[in-house]
Amino acid sequence: MELTTLWFLLIALLWTGYFVLEGFDFGVGMLLPVVSRDETDRRVALGTIGPVWDGNEVWLLVAGGATFAAFPEWYASLFSGFYLALLVLLVALILRGMALEYRGKIDDDRWRRRWDAAIVGGSFVPALLWGVAFANIVRGVPLDADHEYTGTLFTLLNPFALLGGATTVLLFALHGAVFLALKTTGEVRTRAIGVAKIAGPLLIVAGGGFLAWAVLAYGPLWTLVPAGVAAVALVVGTLLAARGREGWAFLSTAGAIVAIVVTLFGTLFPDVLPATDPANSLTTTNASSTAYTLTIMTWVAVAVTPIVLAYQAWTFWVFRRRLTRDDMTGEAGLPVRAGAHAR
């Protein structure tokens, strides 16, 4: 296998890990006002992602860094063309991170409500924009002979991209609802299951339409297989969540995300950023770094990746048990800081 193909697959793997892990973080954030009725409920919901959300974001940093190092032309064209959308996304992620860290610093309802709004918005905006961005990457964008983007922001807001954005919002909402049901008890769990019952069918319709459009319009025939797997996994995950089998439901929604990413990257290869004029498209060949750079990157990845995966697996194992309302109350009834995870 050529190193350019290997790194295309590795970058797809990194985005898969990011969407599987950060996807439920976005879902929990978006659903915060839906699954909670009081401050204790909100602490329970946020406590499920408190120990892991910042680690999950590392996948995005590594995916971006790997793209920059392995395919610098892809990185340059993508970030210049999608500059405004990615700036909005970055601001949303920053506000969300600040909110998760600072909402519990002051014991004031108005203070917490403002940060809660930042959590909801900072989760919804990236969930929407990632779908819009990847849909445009699959569809192709206007590039000139120098691989510079020649469109506008409104060029990116086409029907296919907006359907992609709606799909990722519903996908992460379902994934987050199932994760909440898996990690909590009582009313928060019950409300999360209720959300899954609604989000699941909506996602099956929107996501099914988006994947069918992507495969039939832009993908090779074999991408029908992962697209079909994704559809089945979404149906199974929704049914399992409704029956209270949230462990298996979470594996199903995670599997659906994997299958969707495989479908999207499968429609791309060997392109990394198709152009509306195929002669100007960026491919794994004309967008890549030198063979020497890719070789060094490969050895670094082989050495470091197992350590990172082991650490993250250990984190999830340590914080594996369900949270209850009692966990969010400290000694003498004093509330535990939001985002903390009771041991």
Side-chain angles (χ1 to χ4, degrees), residues 275-316:
T276 49
D277 180 357
N280 297 332
S281 294
L282 285 168
T283 69
T284 56
T285 302
N286 65 18
S288 70
S289 294
T290 64
Y292 180 71
T293 300
L294 295 178
T295 300
I296 294 177
M297 289 175 60
T298 301
W299 283 112
V300 172
V302 168
V304 174
T305 301
I307 299 173
V308 174
L309 293 177
Y311 173 77
Q312 192 149 33
W314 175 79
T315 303
F316 278 96

Side-chain angles (χ1 to χ4, degrees), residues 39 43 46 98-108 111-113 115-116 119 335-340:
E39 174 61 16
R43 292 177 188 273
L46 294 176
M98 292 175 60
L100 289 168
E101 291 292 339
Y102 283 100
R103 77 173 300 276
K105 297 295 186 181
I106 297 178
D107 188 14
D108 178 75
W111 168 271
R112 286 191 290 262
R113 281 197 300 270
W115 286 121
D116 287 346
I119 292 173
V336 177
R337 180 174 62 86

